[in-house]
């Protein structure tokens, strides 16, 4: 009887101790590991045994329940470790085919496999204890049941909770971070023996996590074939994970290397909260996401960038003097760039080894220490951000491109845009033709470049002029800021001068697209359109004053010797004097608004940005500073205040109408138009309030 019990303790039933599931089926065939785990103990003493009393029967059934738990846990480990294909030769082909078909529908899990490896260790200890009990019973002349119970006493508090844990895993199909969360929750149980077992199971699960982190943060590779890591590729939410991977791969295959790199950086990966372990804070997860993307960028540079680096090596071989001279002009080199630094890899192997050592130290720890984990993650993120900063700021000459954007998008090159507006003044007084508007405006743009832009400006070739209002849809953010016009009745309608849609495009190469995203360039275009319209209005007001003074001097000279006609000149001047006051108020407002934006906003914020760049060597900080810079430009220029921007847009529209009407002031119709514009200006006194600003 004791031998029958010992066999049952390791999952083998017989005539005295039976498995009710097998007994009811009357098959006599052992259950396959792929069969569902039973949700209740089915190891029982045979009902026809009469030589055991009730108390002994209860004691034996309590004892053989450990054998049931052992067998179910062993079946789970066999299935989770993908060893179920090992079968004896007596399995029929039909049963083998059904097993294979069932296995194909199951999702494999490396976290379950690691959990199963931990269970194997626990079960091996249990088996060794059973073997020791058997040896002890064989050595005794009078073996008793109490010896078995005493030897297995500690497993009564270990195997049942582990069995319940496996049941929950199977029922809820837990894997990845969800499985770690469950283990972490069950770890706080107050039973030392059970805590030690679950701690070992957690250690096995964390080994998989650290391996995935090492692949992601050392090599920039996402090793997650079964969708269990909390970093994932972006995928269609309407599709299942398994079917979306091929589609994503096909889309990426159709893109160029640069496009793939940019997609990976901006949209390629995200944090999957369902698989994020509870003991990893969201800030740490974001740092892990950034570090992996940065390492991926550094380890897979653009082919064009590699070629550029090769040219640098060739130039260095001819002579390092030019390299030192170019480095001297860069304001943000912490140290002069030498040929050795230029020839280094974007991520030196020593830095990758340092990251790997940090993760290896975490991996070798028996416990998961949250503080140590977050400190290591922050250190790895700092390394990745520093090298990405070196790539973008130093190697890609970020500050030179920022200066170019300031020159052309923020109108810092005033002489160029003054010349451009003068060259295009007559063209812009006519409505743009839908088919030729862009070609027409490019001519004065190129003429202004020939007159003012020197050949040393290597960034001008990246700037191109576009008319997005014709043929290309203009974003609402670009239109709403300036696209207003107030009629005589004071109503507002969304129509602006066609030339106000002029936009600039700026071409950036890898890796600057990581910094200058489409959203960033869109903000620059919005500010440019606003500033160009403001400068154009100022120029028209100045030209109108010059035209009026020229006409007035001509009238005075013509009527100087004619005393009779001279008396009619004063009433004419008196008639137009209120309009000149209006023009002066207009010019005062536009001139001071332009001065305020260019000096108090653009130059001031530019100095702040430069100081931040000088004091930083972190790419993410640099992106934040630049976003704050753009936000300050927009907010302090009133572009984010709809009511103010609409009022300013209406005033600029009226200013242009006023200037264009002055040139034809001889006709009575235009005189009435001038009077209407004068009356339309919303309270000249309110405009004068700008003088106090």
């Amino acid at each position: 009887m004791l031998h029958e019990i010992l066999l049952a303790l390791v999952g083998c039933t017989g005539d005295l101790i039976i498995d009710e599931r097998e007994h009811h089926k009357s098959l006599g065939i052992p259950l396959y590991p792929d069969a569902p785990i039973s949700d209740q103990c089915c190891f029982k003493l045979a009902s026809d045994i009469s030589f055991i009393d009730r108390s002994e029967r209860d004691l034996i059934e309590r004892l053989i329940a450990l054998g049931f738990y052992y067998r179910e846990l062993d079946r789970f480990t066999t299935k989770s470790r993908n060893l179920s294909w090992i079968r004896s030769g007596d399995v029929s082909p039909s049963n083998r085919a059904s097993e294979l078909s069932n296995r194909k529908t199951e999702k494999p899990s490396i976290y379950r496999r690691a959990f199963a490896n931990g269970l194997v260790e626990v079960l091996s200890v249990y088996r060794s204890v059973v073997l020791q009990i058997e040896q002890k019973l064989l050595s005794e002349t009078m073996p008793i049941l109490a010896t078995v119970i005493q030897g297995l006493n500690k497993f009564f508090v270990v195997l049942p909770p582990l069995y319940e844990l496996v049941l929950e895993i199977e029922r809820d199909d837990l894997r990845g971070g969800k499985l770690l969360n469950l283990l972490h929750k069950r770890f706080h149980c107050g039973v030392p023996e059970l805590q030690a077992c679950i701690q070992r199971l957690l250690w096995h699960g964390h080994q998989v996590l650290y391996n995935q982190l090492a692949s992601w943060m050392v090599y920039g590779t996402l090793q997650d074939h079964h969708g269990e890591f909390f970093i994932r590729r972006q995928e269609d939410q309407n599709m299942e994970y398994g079917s979306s991977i091929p589609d994503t791969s096909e889309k990426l295959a159709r893109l160029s290397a640069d496009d793939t790199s940019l997609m990976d950086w901006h949209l390629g990966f995200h944090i999957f909260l369902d698989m994020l372990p509870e003991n990893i804070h969201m800030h740490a997860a974001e740092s892990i996401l950034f570090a992996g993307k940065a390492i991926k960028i550094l380890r897979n540079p653009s082919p064009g960038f590699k070629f550029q680096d090769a040219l640098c090596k060739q130039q260095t071989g001819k002579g390092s003097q030019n390299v030192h001279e170019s480095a001297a002009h860069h304001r943000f080199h912490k140290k002069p760039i030498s040929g050795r630094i230029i020839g280094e890899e974007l991520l030196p192997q020593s830095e990758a080894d340092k990251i790997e050592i940090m993760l290896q130290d975490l991996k070798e720890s028996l416990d998961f220490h949250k503080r140590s984990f977050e400190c290591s993650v922050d250190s790895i993120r700092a390394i990745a951000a520093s090298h990405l900063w070196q790539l973008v700021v130093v190697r890609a000459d970020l500050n030179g491109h920022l200066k170019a954007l300031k020159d052309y998008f923020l109108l810092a090159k005033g002489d160029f845009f003054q010349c451009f507006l003068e060259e295009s003044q007559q063209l812009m007084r006519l409505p743009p033709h839908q088919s030729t508007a862009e070609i027409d405006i490019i001519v004065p743009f190129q003429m202004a470049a020939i007159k003012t832009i020197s050949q040393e400006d290597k960034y001008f070739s990246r700037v191109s002029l576009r008319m997005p209002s014709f043929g290309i849809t203009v974003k609402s953010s670009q239109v709403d800021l300036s696209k207003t016009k107030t009629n005589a009745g004071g109503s507002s309608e969304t129509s602006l001068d066609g030339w106000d849609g002029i936009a600039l495009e700026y071409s950036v190469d890898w890796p600057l697209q990581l910094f200058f995203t489409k959203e960033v360039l869109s903000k620059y275009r919005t500010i440019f359109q606003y500033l160009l319209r403001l400068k154009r209005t100022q120029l028209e007001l100045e030209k109108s004053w010059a035209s009026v003074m020229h006409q007035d001097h001509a009238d005075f000279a013509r009527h100087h010797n004619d005393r009779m006609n001279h008396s009619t000149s004063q009433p004419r001047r008196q008639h137009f004097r209120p309009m000149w006051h209006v023009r002066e108020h207009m010019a005062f407002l536009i001139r001071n608004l332009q001065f305020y934006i260019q000096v108090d906003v653009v130059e001031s914020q530019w100095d702040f940005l430069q100081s931040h760049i000088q004091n930083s060597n972190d790419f993410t900080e640099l992106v934040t500073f630049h976003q704050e810079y753009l936000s300050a430009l927009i907010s302090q220029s009133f572009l984010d205040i709809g009511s103010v921007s609409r009022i300013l847009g209406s005033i600029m529209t009226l200013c242009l109408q006023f200037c264009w009407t002055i040139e034809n002031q001889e006709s009575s119709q235009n005189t009435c138009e001038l009077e209407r514009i004068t009356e339309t200006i919303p309270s000249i006194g309110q405009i004068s309030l700008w003088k106090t600003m």
Side-chain angles (χ1 to χ4, degrees), residues 237-251:
Q237 298 298 327
N238 297 325
M239 302 176 66
E240 294 183 357
Y241 183 85
S243 60
S244 64
I245 292 297
D247 295 340
T248 304
S249 302
E250 292 177 2
K251 292 178 181 178

PDB file of all heavy atoms in Angstrom, residues 237-251:
ATOM      1  N   GLN A 237      -4.888  48.451 -34.894  1.00  0.00           N
ATOM      2  CA  GLN A 237      -5.630  47.982 -33.732  1.00  0.00           C
ATOM      3  C   GLN A 237      -6.786  47.063 -34.120  1.00  0.00           C
ATOM      4  O   GLN A 237      -7.306  46.333 -33.288  1.00  0.00           O
ATOM      5  CB  GLN A 237      -6.169  49.185 -32.946  1.00  0.00           C
ATOM      6  CG  GLN A 237      -5.083  50.089 -32.401  1.00  0.00           C
ATOM      7  CD  GLN A 237      -4.177  49.380 -31.409  1.00  0.00           C
ATOM      8  OE1 GLN A 237      -4.613  48.506 -30.670  1.00  0.00           O
ATOM      9  NE2 GLN A 237      -2.906  49.721 -31.400  1.00  0.00           N
ATOM     10  N   ASN A 238      -7.196  47.104 -35.370  1.00  0.00           N
ATOM     11  CA  ASN A 238      -8.319  46.271 -35.790  1.00  0.00           C
ATOM     12  C   ASN A 238      -7.891  44.872 -36.206  1.00  0.00           C
ATOM     13  O   ASN A 238      -8.721  44.049 -36.572  1.00  0.00           O
ATOM     14  CB  ASN A 238      -9.054  46.931 -36.957  1.00  0.00           C
ATOM     15  CG  ASN A 238      -9.658  48.252 -36.547  1.00  0.00           C
ATOM     16  OD1 ASN A 238     -10.101  48.401 -35.414  1.00  0.00           O
ATOM     17  ND2 ASN A 238      -9.680  49.209 -37.463  1.00  0.00           N
ATOM     18  N   MET A 239      -6.565  44.655 -36.186  1.00  0.00           N
ATOM     19  CA  MET A 239      -6.062  43.354 -36.620  1.00  0.00           C
ATOM     20  C   MET A 239      -5.388  42.658 -35.452  1.00  0.00           C
ATOM     21  O   MET A 239      -4.878  43.289 -34.533  1.00  0.00           O
ATOM     22  CB  MET A 239      -5.053  43.533 -37.771  1.00  0.00           C
ATOM     23  CG  MET A 239      -5.648  44.251 -38.977  1.00  0.00           C
ATOM     24  SD  MET A 239      -4.424  44.533 -40.254  1.00  0.00           S
ATOM     25  CE  MET A 239      -4.071  42.868 -40.747  1.00  0.00           C
ATOM     26  N   GLU A 240      -5.351  41.352 -35.485  1.00  0.00           N
ATOM     27  CA  GLU A 240      -4.678  40.607 -34.444  1.00  0.00           C
ATOM     28  C   GLU A 240      -3.183  40.713 -34.644  1.00  0.00           C
ATOM     29  O   GLU A 240      -2.677  41.008 -35.718  1.00  0.00           O
ATOM     30  CB  GLU A 240      -5.096  39.139 -34.478  1.00  0.00           C
ATOM     31  CG  GLU A 240      -6.557  38.936 -34.125  1.00  0.00           C
ATOM     32  CD  GLU A 240      -6.913  37.464 -34.088  1.00  0.00           C
ATOM     33  OE1 GLU A 240      -6.027  36.650 -34.398  1.00  0.00           O
ATOM     34  OE2 GLU A 240      -8.053  37.187 -33.756  1.00  0.00           O
ATOM     35  N   TYR A 241      -2.480  40.429 -33.569  1.00  0.00           N
ATOM     36  CA  TYR A 241      -1.025  40.617 -33.595  1.00  0.00           C
ATOM     37  C   TYR A 241      -0.361  39.761 -34.656  1.00  0.00           C
ATOM     38  O   TYR A 241       0.492  40.217 -35.403  1.00  0.00           O
ATOM     39  CB  TYR A 241      -0.454  40.277 -32.213  1.00  0.00           C
ATOM     40  CG  TYR A 241       1.028  40.509 -32.101  1.00  0.00           C
ATOM     41  CD1 TYR A 241       1.524  41.757 -31.793  1.00  0.00           C
ATOM     42  CD2 TYR A 241       1.935  39.470 -32.310  1.00  0.00           C
ATOM     43  CE1 TYR A 241       2.881  41.980 -31.695  1.00  0.00           C
ATOM     44  CE2 TYR A 241       3.285  39.682 -32.218  1.00  0.00           C
ATOM     45  CZ  TYR A 241       3.746  40.932 -31.901  1.00  0.00           C
ATOM     46  OH  TYR A 241       5.088  41.153 -31.806  1.00  0.00           O
ATOM     47  N   GLY A 242      -0.769  38.511 -34.739  1.00  0.00           N
ATOM     48  CA  GLY A 242      -0.091  37.607 -35.664  1.00  0.00           C
ATOM     49  C   GLY A 242      -0.245  38.004 -37.107  1.00  0.00           C
ATOM     50  O   GLY A 242       0.649  37.817 -37.916  1.00  0.00           O
ATOM     51  N   SER A 243      -1.378  38.572 -37.484  1.00  0.00           N
ATOM     52  CA  SER A 243      -1.621  38.908 -38.880  1.00  0.00           C
ATOM     53  C   SER A 243      -1.099  40.278 -39.251  1.00  0.00           C
ATOM     54  O   SER A 243      -0.998  40.608 -40.417  1.00  0.00           O
ATOM     55  CB  SER A 243      -3.124  38.857 -39.171  1.00  0.00           C
ATOM     56  OG  SER A 243      -3.825  39.785 -38.360  1.00  0.00           O
ATOM     57  N   SER A 244      -0.770  41.105 -38.238  1.00  0.00           N
ATOM     58  CA  SER A 244      -0.326  42.463 -38.553  1.00  0.00           C
ATOM     59  C   SER A 244       1.164  42.534 -38.824  1.00  0.00           C
ATOM     60  O   SER A 244       1.631  43.454 -39.474  1.00  0.00           O
ATOM     61  CB  SER A 244      -0.670  43.407 -37.397  1.00  0.00           C
ATOM     62  OG  SER A 244       0.041  43.030 -36.234  1.00  0.00           O
ATOM     63  N   ILE A 245       1.934  41.582 -38.313  1.00  0.00           N
ATOM     64  CA  ILE A 245       3.374  41.631 -38.502  1.00  0.00           C
ATOM     65  C   ILE A 245       3.776  41.557 -39.968  1.00  0.00           C
ATOM     66  O   ILE A 245       4.590  42.339 -40.448  1.00  0.00           O
ATOM     67  CB  ILE A 245       4.055  40.520 -37.681  1.00  0.00           C
ATOM     68  CG1 ILE A 245       3.907  40.813 -36.194  1.00  0.00           C
ATOM     69  CG2 ILE A 245       5.513  40.369 -38.052  1.00  0.00           C
ATOM     70  CD1 ILE A 245       4.576  42.083 -35.757  1.00  0.00           C
ATOM     71  N   PRO A 246       3.238  40.641 -40.772  1.00  0.00           N
ATOM     72  CA  PRO A 246       3.617  40.625 -42.189  1.00  0.00           C
ATOM     73  C   PRO A 246       3.266  41.914 -42.903  1.00  0.00           C
ATOM     74  O   PRO A 246       4.028  42.394 -43.736  1.00  0.00           O
ATOM     75  CB  PRO A 246       2.824  39.433 -42.740  1.00  0.00           C
ATOM     76  CG  PRO A 246       2.532  38.572 -41.568  1.00  0.00           C
ATOM     77  CD  PRO A 246       2.346  39.527 -40.431  1.00  0.00           C
ATOM     78  N   ASP A 247       2.086  42.492 -42.591  1.00  0.00           N
ATOM     79  CA  ASP A 247       1.708  43.740 -43.248  1.00  0.00           C
ATOM     80  C   ASP A 247       2.688  44.840 -42.902  1.00  0.00           C
ATOM     81  O   ASP A 247       3.081  45.637 -43.756  1.00  0.00           O
ATOM     82  CB  ASP A 247       0.285  44.138 -42.820  1.00  0.00           C
ATOM     83  CG  ASP A 247      -0.740  43.123 -43.297  1.00  0.00           C
ATOM     84  OD1 ASP A 247      -0.410  42.375 -44.228  1.00  0.00           O
ATOM     85  OD2 ASP A 247      -1.841  43.083 -42.725  1.00  0.00           O
ATOM     86  N   THR A 248       3.071  44.909 -41.611  1.00  0.00           N
ATOM     87  CA  THR A 248       4.035  45.928 -41.206  1.00  0.00           C
ATOM     88  C   THR A 248       5.362  45.724 -41.904  1.00  0.00           C
ATOM     89  O   THR A 248       5.996  46.679 -42.357  1.00  0.00           O
ATOM     90  CB  THR A 248       4.229  45.888 -39.680  1.00  0.00           C
ATOM     91  OG1 THR A 248       2.959  46.041 -39.049  1.00  0.00           O
ATOM     92  CG2 THR A 248       5.170  46.979 -39.221  1.00  0.00           C
ATOM     93  N   SER A 249       5.799  44.482 -42.004  1.00  0.00           N
ATOM     94  CA  SER A 249       7.065  44.200 -42.680  1.00  0.00           C
ATOM     95  C   SER A 249       7.011  44.596 -44.149  1.00  0.00           C
ATOM     96  O   SER A 249       7.972  45.130 -44.694  1.00  0.00           O
ATOM     97  CB  SER A 249       7.407  42.714 -42.538  1.00  0.00           C
ATOM     98  OG  SER A 249       7.483  42.349 -41.177  1.00  0.00           O
ATOM     99  N   GLU A 250       5.880  44.333 -44.803  1.00  0.00           N
ATOM    100  CA  GLU A 250       5.753  44.705 -46.214  1.00  0.00           C
ATOM    101  C   GLU A 250       5.796  46.214 -46.393  1.00  0.00           C
ATOM    102  O   GLU A 250       6.426  46.732 -47.317  1.00  0.00           O
ATOM    103  CB  GLU A 250       4.444  44.142 -46.773  1.00  0.00           C
ATOM    104  CG  GLU A 250       4.433  42.620 -46.882  1.00  0.00           C
ATOM    105  CD  GLU A 250       3.085  42.105 -47.366  1.00  0.00           C
ATOM    106  OE1 GLU A 250       2.204  42.953 -47.650  1.00  0.00           O
ATOM    107  OE2 GLU A 250       2.915  40.878 -47.457  1.00  0.00           O
ATOM    108  N   LYS A 251       5.123  46.938 -45.496  1.00  0.00           N
ATOM    109  CA  LYS A 251       5.141  48.403 -45.589  1.00  0.00           C
ATOM    110  C   LYS A 251       6.553  48.939 -45.395  1.00  0.00           C
ATOM    111  O   LYS A 251       6.991  49.828 -46.106  1.00  0.00           O
ATOM    112  CB  LYS A 251       4.197  49.005 -44.540  1.00  0.00           C
ATOM    113  CG  LYS A 251       2.727  48.726 -44.809  1.00  0.00           C
ATOM    114  CD  LYS A 251       1.860  49.316 -43.712  1.00  0.00           C
ATOM    115  CE  LYS A 251       0.385  49.016 -43.961  1.00  0.00           C
ATOM    116  NZ  LYS A 251      -0.471  49.553 -42.867  1.00  0.00           N
TER     117      LYS A 251
END
